[in-house]
Amino acid sequence: MTKLATVLAFDLGASSGRALIGELLPDEASGRKQLKVTEIHRFPNEPIAVRGHLHWDILRLLQELKTAIRKAFQEGFAPQAFGIDTWGVDFGLLDASGELLGNPYHYRDSQTEGIVEELSELIGKDRLYEQGGLQFMPFNTINQLYAMKKANSPKLDVASTLLLTPDLLAYFLTGEKVCEFTMATTTQLYHPKEQQWNTALMDQLGIPSQLFMEPIHPGTIFGTLSPDICAELDASPMAAVAVGTHDTESAVAAVPAKGDLPFAYLVCGTWSLLGTELEHPIVTPEAQALDFSNEGGVGGTYQLLKNIMGLWILQECKREWDEQGSKLSFAEIVVQAQSAEPFRSFIHPDDPSFYAPSGMIGRIKAYCRQTSQPVPESVGEIARCILESLALRYRHALTQMEELTEQSFSGLHMVGGGIQNKLLCQLTANAIGRFVWTGPVEASAIGNMLMQLVALGECANLQESRELVAASFPIEEYAPEHSEAWNIAYKAFESLTME
């Protein structure tokens, strides 16, 4: 079959990365195009602790990207373009000669402890929110840079350029330094209303504003795979495309929503991001009070969303069970959760005690004990507690979002790796009392591919791209069940998690 285009998407999450080939194919029977996705490489992404700090092993990640490029050409795909999306906020610093100044810090590094409170006192929470539009999260780029400034880091004195993670990896592959728009908006240093860097705030904090470049938008070709990389990997030149480099925004681009109606989505993985797509940011006092973020999206949109701790909590529990020798798969854990007693105990997934790695099981038990609930002991009880709490937290956030936007959503689109947990999908439908539509699983990588296809002229715009997703991937529907029991459970959950 004749291929209309072939692209390579690198999708790096906080715990693993993957490289996938997207082939745009004509469907002669329907006359519509279809996107075929093939995974060619998958690899772990594990932070490294060094002398009290937590870092990303950025050069190892670069090597994994190179391995994927080599595999792509060895397997005969010959992609015309590539794009990279990753988690947000983290960055590398380059000196004047383009050399990397040390391994980038991991967003869970302890250097930012207490910085949110300090900046809120120094600048004022109202100004920080109105000019940055983000939830007050310890890992935001502004907090990392201010922590480095406070520590008198010599890196800031000699740095010439700041590159956020996907742009840094693209620089290694192309030699081109760029700053992509969606990632820029995760820094809390980009003014969402004025659509420019907040240099006045940078100057006040002593953060060098010359480190930041003018952002480019998703769907822009900015370079090619460099000749030395092509020679090293026996690869042909590929166009480098600025996709929605923040993985959340790439995932939202792949939500198969129909028409122009507003829709609610949940990007479900290590983190859960529940939001809706808007033409303009909402940086009102009400949005600040409800702790919603405004992040730049693809196609000139903004995403009003809430960060929720997500399946990180269950992942950490699984890691502890593995260390104890149980070696249960996630599927086996879900089976045990399915059999456990419902509505026995809840946690607030965004409680600060669940932010740090290690000791998660003990902290869940401590939370339940401190809130006078039955303490979960078995694998099934703990997993059920986590999954029901996440589902109820989604309902809470969805209700708040409807208040802010004055919109009513008929259901929830769930995308990302977390939708493979079918129990969580059903519990979410039950909790919100509405339909849940799931798919695709590899939403970030697919959204990455879509912006490459826009850049190559194969998709006209965001809506046509979403129609391609709907035509190419199965969507599963979950109907709500046991509504009254869930309404009672939600009241109990609210009493524990009053914000």
Short mmCIF file of all heavy atoms in Angstrom, two decimals, residues 8 69 79-84 166-167 169-180 216-217 219-230 236-243 452 455-456:
data_model
loop_
_atom_site.label_atom_id
_atom_site.label_comp_id
_atom_site.label_asym_id
_atom_site.label_seq_id
_atom_site.Cartn_x
_atom_site.Cartn_y
_atom_site.Cartn_z
N LEU A 8 8.31 9.88 12.76
CA LEU A 8 8.86 9.23 13.94
C LEU A 8 8.57 10.10 15.15
O LEU A 8 8.96 11.28 15.19
CB LEU A 8 10.37 9.03 13.78
CG LEU A 8 11.17 8.51 14.98
CD1 LEU A 8 10.67 7.15 15.44
CD2 LEU A 8 12.66 8.45 14.62
N ILE A 69 16.35 5.83 16.21
CA ILE A 69 16.53 6.29 14.82
C ILE A 69 17.21 5.21 13.99
O ILE A 69 16.80 4.91 12.85
CB ILE A 69 17.35 7.59 14.80
CG1 ILE A 69 16.56 8.73 15.46
CG2 ILE A 69 17.73 7.97 13.36
CD1 ILE A 69 17.36 9.99 15.68
N PRO A 79 11.52 7.52 7.92
CA PRO A 79 10.62 8.63 8.22
C PRO A 79 11.09 9.94 7.61
O PRO A 79 12.29 10.20 7.49
CB PRO A 79 10.63 8.70 9.76
CG PRO A 79 11.88 7.97 10.17
CD PRO A 79 12.11 6.93 9.13
N GLN A 80 10.13 10.78 7.25
CA GLN A 80 10.43 12.09 6.68
C GLN A 80 10.66 13.14 7.75
O GLN A 80 11.27 14.18 7.48
CB GLN A 80 9.27 12.53 5.79
CG GLN A 80 9.01 11.61 4.61
CD GLN A 80 7.56 11.63 4.20
OE1 GLN A 80 6.79 10.73 4.54
NE2 GLN A 80 7.16 12.64 3.47
N ALA A 81 10.14 12.91 8.95
CA ALA A 81 10.23 13.92 10.01
C ALA A 81 10.22 13.23 11.36
O ALA A 81 9.88 12.05 11.49
CB ALA A 81 9.05 14.89 9.91
N PHE A 82 10.62 13.98 12.39
CA PHE A 82 10.53 13.47 13.76
C PHE A 82 10.13 14.62 14.68
O PHE A 82 10.30 15.80 14.38
CB PHE A 82 11.85 12.85 14.23
CG PHE A 82 12.96 13.83 14.52
CD1 PHE A 82 13.16 14.34 15.79
CD2 PHE A 82 13.82 14.26 13.51
CE1 PHE A 82 14.17 15.25 16.07
CE2 PHE A 82 14.85 15.16 13.76
CZ PHE A 82 15.02 15.66 15.05
N GLY A 83 9.56 14.24 15.83
CA GLY A 83 9.19 15.20 16.87
C GLY A 83 9.40 14.58 18.23
O GLY A 83 9.38 13.34 18.38
N ILE A 84 9.62 15.41 19.23
CA ILE A 84 9.89 14.94 20.60
C ILE A 84 8.92 15.61 21.55
O ILE A 84 8.77 16.84 21.54
CB ILE A 84 11.33 15.29 21.03
CG1 ILE A 84 12.36 14.73 20.04
CG2 ILE A 84 11.61 14.77 22.44
CD1 ILE A 84 13.78 15.22 20.28
N PRO A 166 12.49 18.68 25.91
CA PRO A 166 12.39 18.22 24.52
C PRO A 166 13.21 19.07 23.56
O PRO A 166 13.77 18.55 22.58
CB PRO A 166 10.89 18.33 24.21
CG PRO A 166 10.36 19.31 25.20
CD PRO A 166 11.21 19.15 26.43
N ASP A 167 13.32 20.36 23.85
CA ASP A 167 14.13 21.23 23.00
C ASP A 167 15.62 20.93 23.17
O ASP A 167 16.39 21.05 22.22
CB ASP A 167 13.84 22.69 23.34
CG ASP A 167 12.39 23.07 23.11
OD1 ASP A 167 11.78 22.52 22.18
OD2 ASP A 167 11.86 23.90 23.87
N LEU A 169 16.89 17.88 23.86
CA LEU A 169 17.15 16.66 23.10
C LEU A 169 17.15 16.93 21.60
O LEU A 169 17.98 16.39 20.86
CB LEU A 169 16.10 15.60 23.46
CG LEU A 169 16.21 15.03 24.89
CD1 LEU A 169 14.96 14.25 25.25
CD2 LEU A 169 17.46 14.16 25.03
N ALA A 170 16.26 17.80 21.15
CA ALA A 170 16.24 18.16 19.73
C ALA A 170 17.52 18.89 19.33
O ALA A 170 18.04 18.70 18.22
CB ALA A 170 15.01 19.03 19.42
N TYR A 171 18.03 19.72 20.23
CA TYR A 171 19.30 20.43 19.97
C TYR A 171 20.44 19.44 19.79
O TYR A 171 21.28 19.58 18.89
CB TYR A 171 19.59 21.39 21.12
CG TYR A 171 21.01 21.88 21.17
CD1 TYR A 171 21.50 22.77 20.21
CD2 TYR A 171 21.87 21.46 22.20
CE1 TYR A 171 22.82 23.23 20.27
CE2 TYR A 171 23.17 21.92 22.25
CZ TYR A 171 23.65 22.80 21.29
OH TYR A 171 24.94 23.24 21.35
N PHE A 172 20.48 18.40 20.62
CA PHE A 172 21.52 17.39 20.49
C PHE A 172 21.47 16.71 19.12
O PHE A 172 22.51 16.32 18.57
CB PHE A 172 21.38 16.32 21.57
CG PHE A 172 21.72 16.79 22.97
CD1 PHE A 172 21.07 16.22 24.07
CD2 PHE A 172 22.66 17.77 23.19
CE1 PHE A 172 21.38 16.63 25.36
CE2 PHE A 172 22.98 18.18 24.48
CZ PHE A 172 22.33 17.62 25.57
N LEU A 173 20.26 16.57 18.58
CA LEU A 173 20.09 15.86 17.30
C LEU A 173 20.20 16.76 16.08
O LEU A 173 20.48 16.27 14.98
CB LEU A 173 18.73 15.16 17.28
CG LEU A 173 18.53 14.02 18.28
CD1 LEU A 173 17.09 13.51 18.23
CD2 LEU A 173 19.50 12.87 18.01
N THR A 174 19.98 18.05 16.25
CA THR A 174 19.94 18.95 15.09
C THR A 174 20.94 20.10 15.15
O THR A 174 21.25 20.69 14.12
CB THR A 174 18.54 19.59 14.95
OG1 THR A 174 18.30 20.46 16.09
CG2 THR A 174 17.45 18.53 14.89
N GLY A 175 21.39 20.45 16.34
CA GLY A 175 22.23 21.63 16.49
C GLY A 175 21.44 22.93 16.53
O GLY A 175 22.02 24.01 16.65
N GLU A 176 20.10 22.85 16.47
CA GLU A 176 19.25 24.03 16.46
C GLU A 176 18.67 24.28 17.86
O GLU A 176 18.13 23.37 18.48
CB GLU A 176 18.10 23.87 15.47
CG GLU A 176 18.53 23.66 14.03
CD GLU A 176 19.16 24.90 13.41
OE1 GLU A 176 18.92 26.01 13.94
OE2 GLU A 176 19.89 24.76 12.41
N LYS A 177 18.79 25.52 18.34
CA LYS A 177 18.24 25.90 19.63
C LYS A 177 16.89 26.58 19.42
O LYS A 177 16.82 27.61 18.75
CB LYS A 177 19.18 26.86 20.35
CG LYS A 177 20.58 26.31 20.59
CD LYS A 177 21.49 27.39 21.14
CE LYS A 177 22.93 26.91 21.23
NZ LYS A 177 23.85 27.99 21.63
N VAL A 178 15.84 25.99 19.97
CA VAL A 178 14.50 26.56 19.86
C VAL A 178 13.78 26.43 21.20
O VAL A 178 14.20 25.67 22.08
CB VAL A 178 13.66 25.88 18.75
CG1 VAL A 178 14.29 26.08 17.39
CG2 VAL A 178 13.44 24.40 19.05
N CYS A 179 12.71 27.16 21.32
CA CYS A 179 11.83 27.05 22.49
C CYS A 179 10.41 26.89 21.96
O CYS A 179 9.91 27.76 21.25
CB CYS A 179 11.94 28.31 23.35
SG CYS A 179 10.77 28.35 24.72
N GLU A 180 9.77 25.79 22.28
CA GLU A 180 8.43 25.50 21.78
C GLU A 180 7.38 26.05 22.75
O GLU A 180 7.53 25.97 23.96
CB GLU A 180 8.28 23.99 21.57
CG GLU A 180 7.00 23.56 20.88
CD GLU A 180 5.85 23.42 21.85
OE1 GLU A 180 6.09 22.94 22.99
OE2 GLU A 180 4.71 23.80 21.51
N ILE A 216 8.35 29.16 19.45
CA ILE A 216 7.75 28.80 18.16
C ILE A 216 6.56 27.88 18.44
O ILE A 216 6.48 27.26 19.50
CB ILE A 216 8.76 28.12 17.22
CG1 ILE A 216 9.27 26.80 17.82
CG2 ILE A 216 9.92 29.05 16.90
CD1 ILE A 216 10.19 26.02 16.89
N HIS A 217 5.64 27.81 17.49
CA HIS A 217 4.39 27.08 17.74
C HIS A 217 4.42 25.67 17.14
O HIS A 217 5.17 25.40 16.19
CB HIS A 217 3.21 27.87 17.19
CG HIS A 217 2.79 28.98 18.11
ND1 HIS A 217 1.80 28.84 19.05
CD2 HIS A 217 3.27 30.24 18.25
CE1 HIS A 217 1.65 29.96 19.72
NE2 HIS A 217 2.54 30.84 19.26
N GLY A 219 3.79 22.47 14.96
CA GLY A 219 3.57 22.40 13.53
C GLY A 219 4.61 23.14 12.72
O GLY A 219 4.49 23.26 11.50
N THR A 220 5.69 23.61 13.41
CA THR A 220 6.76 24.36 12.75
C THR A 220 7.96 23.44 12.49
O THR A 220 8.44 22.77 13.40
CB THR A 220 7.22 25.54 13.62
OG1 THR A 220 6.11 26.39 13.89
CG2 THR A 220 8.32 26.33 12.93
N ILE A 221 8.44 23.42 11.26
CA ILE A 221 9.70 22.73 10.95
C ILE A 221 10.84 23.69 11.27
O ILE A 221 10.87 24.81 10.77
CB ILE A 221 9.76 22.31 9.47
CG1 ILE A 221 8.66 21.28 9.16
CG2 ILE A 221 11.13 21.73 9.13
CD1 ILE A 221 8.57 20.90 7.69
N PHE A 222 11.77 23.27 12.13
CA PHE A 222 12.82 24.19 12.56
C PHE A 222 14.24 23.71 12.22
O PHE A 222 15.21 24.43 12.48
CB PHE A 222 12.73 24.46 14.07
CG PHE A 222 12.97 23.24 14.93
CD1 PHE A 222 14.26 22.86 15.30
CD2 PHE A 222 11.91 22.49 15.38
CE1 PHE A 222 14.48 21.76 16.11
CE2 PHE A 222 12.11 21.37 16.18
CZ PHE A 222 13.41 21.00 16.54
N GLY A 223 14.38 22.53 11.66
CA GLY A 223 15.72 22.04 11.33
C GLY A 223 15.65 20.64 10.75
O GLY A 223 14.57 20.15 10.40
N THR A 224 16.82 20.01 10.65
CA THR A 224 16.90 18.63 10.18
C THR A 224 17.88 17.86 11.05
O THR A 224 18.72 18.45 11.74
CB THR A 224 17.38 18.56 8.72
OG1 THR A 224 18.66 19.19 8.62
CG2 THR A 224 16.40 19.24 7.78
N LEU A 225 17.77 16.56 10.99
CA LEU A 225 18.74 15.70 11.68
C LEU A 225 20.13 16.04 11.16
O LEU A 225 20.35 16.09 9.95
CB LEU A 225 18.40 14.24 11.41
CG LEU A 225 19.13 13.18 12.25
CD1 LEU A 225 18.74 13.29 13.71
CD2 LEU A 225 18.82 11.78 11.72
N SER A 226 21.07 16.32 12.06
CA SER A 226 22.37 16.85 11.65
C SER A 226 23.18 15.81 10.87
O SER A 226 23.01 14.60 11.06
CB SER A 226 23.17 17.31 12.87
OG SER A 226 23.46 16.21 13.72
N PRO A 227 24.07 16.25 9.97
CA PRO A 227 24.85 15.33 9.15
C PRO A 227 25.67 14.33 9.96
O PRO A 227 25.79 13.16 9.57
CB PRO A 227 25.76 16.27 8.34
CG PRO A 227 25.00 17.55 8.25
CD PRO A 227 24.29 17.66 9.58
N ASP A 228 26.25 14.77 11.09
CA ASP A 228 27.05 13.85 11.89
C ASP A 228 26.20 12.75 12.51
O ASP A 228 26.63 11.59 12.60
CB ASP A 228 27.82 14.60 12.98
CG ASP A 228 26.91 15.35 13.93
OD1 ASP A 228 25.97 16.02 13.46
OD2 ASP A 228 27.14 15.28 15.16
N ILE A 229 24.95 13.08 12.92
CA ILE A 229 24.05 12.06 13.46
C ILE A 229 23.61 11.11 12.35
O ILE A 229 23.55 9.88 12.53
CB ILE A 229 22.82 12.71 14.11
CG1 ILE A 229 23.23 13.59 15.28
CG2 ILE A 229 21.84 11.65 14.56
CD1 ILE A 229 23.73 12.86 16.50
N CYS A 230 23.33 11.65 11.16
CA CYS A 230 22.95 10.80 10.02
C CYS A 230 24.06 9.80 9.71
O CYS A 230 23.81 8.61 9.48
CB CYS A 230 22.66 11.65 8.79
SG CYS A 230 21.13 12.61 8.89
N SER A 236 18.92 8.80 6.96
CA SER A 236 18.72 9.91 6.03
C SER A 236 18.27 11.15 6.80
O SER A 236 17.71 11.04 7.90
CB SER A 236 17.66 9.54 4.99
OG SER A 236 18.05 8.40 4.26
N PRO A 237 18.49 12.34 6.24
CA PRO A 237 18.02 13.56 6.91
C PRO A 237 16.51 13.53 7.12
O PRO A 237 15.76 13.11 6.24
CB PRO A 237 18.41 14.68 5.94
CG PRO A 237 19.53 14.11 5.14
CD PRO A 237 19.22 12.65 4.99
N MET A 238 16.10 13.93 8.30
CA MET A 238 14.67 14.05 8.62
C MET A 238 14.39 15.47 9.06
O MET A 238 15.22 16.09 9.74
CB MET A 238 14.29 13.11 9.78
CG MET A 238 14.37 11.63 9.51
SD MET A 238 13.72 10.70 10.94
CE MET A 238 15.06 10.91 12.12
N ALA A 239 13.23 15.99 8.73
CA ALA A 239 12.82 17.30 9.21
C ALA A 239 12.53 17.22 10.71
O ALA A 239 11.90 16.27 11.19
CB ALA A 239 11.59 17.78 8.47
N ALA A 240 13.02 18.20 11.45
CA ALA A 240 12.73 18.30 12.88
C ALA A 240 11.53 19.22 13.06
O ALA A 240 11.55 20.38 12.64
CB ALA A 240 13.93 18.86 13.64
N VAL A 241 10.46 18.70 13.68
CA VAL A 241 9.21 19.44 13.82
C VAL A 241 8.96 19.77 15.29
O VAL A 241 9.08 18.90 16.16
CB VAL A 241 8.02 18.63 13.26
CG1 VAL A 241 6.71 19.39 13.46
CG2 VAL A 241 8.23 18.32 11.79
N ALA A 242 8.64 21.02 15.55
CA ALA A 242 8.15 21.40 16.87
C ALA A 242 6.72 20.91 16.99
O ALA A 242 5.81 21.44 16.36
CB ALA A 242 8.22 22.90 17.05
N VAL A 243 6.53 19.85 17.76
CA VAL A 243 5.19 19.34 18.02
C VAL A 243 4.67 20.01 19.28
O VAL A 243 5.26 20.99 19.75
CB VAL A 243 5.22 17.80 18.16
CG1 VAL A 243 5.70 17.17 16.86
CG2 VAL A 243 6.13 17.36 19.32
N GLN A 452 3.30 16.68 13.28
CA GLN A 452 4.24 16.46 12.19
C GLN A 452 3.51 16.40 10.85
O GLN A 452 3.98 16.96 9.85
CB GLN A 452 5.01 15.17 12.42
CG GLN A 452 5.95 15.19 13.63
CD GLN A 452 6.80 13.94 13.70
OE1 GLN A 452 7.57 13.67 12.79
NE2 GLN A 452 6.65 13.18 14.77
N ALA A 455 2.68 19.81 9.80
CA ALA A 455 3.87 20.48 9.26
C ALA A 455 4.19 20.01 7.85
O ALA A 455 4.67 20.80 7.02
CB ALA A 455 5.06 20.23 10.19
N LEU A 456 3.92 18.74 7.57
CA LEU A 456 4.19 18.18 6.24
C LEU A 456 3.07 18.45 5.25
O LEU A 456 3.16 18.05 4.08
CB LEU A 456 4.43 16.67 6.35
CG LEU A 456 5.68 16.24 7.13
CD1 LEU A 456 5.71 14.72 7.28
CD2 LEU A 456 6.96 16.73 6.46
#
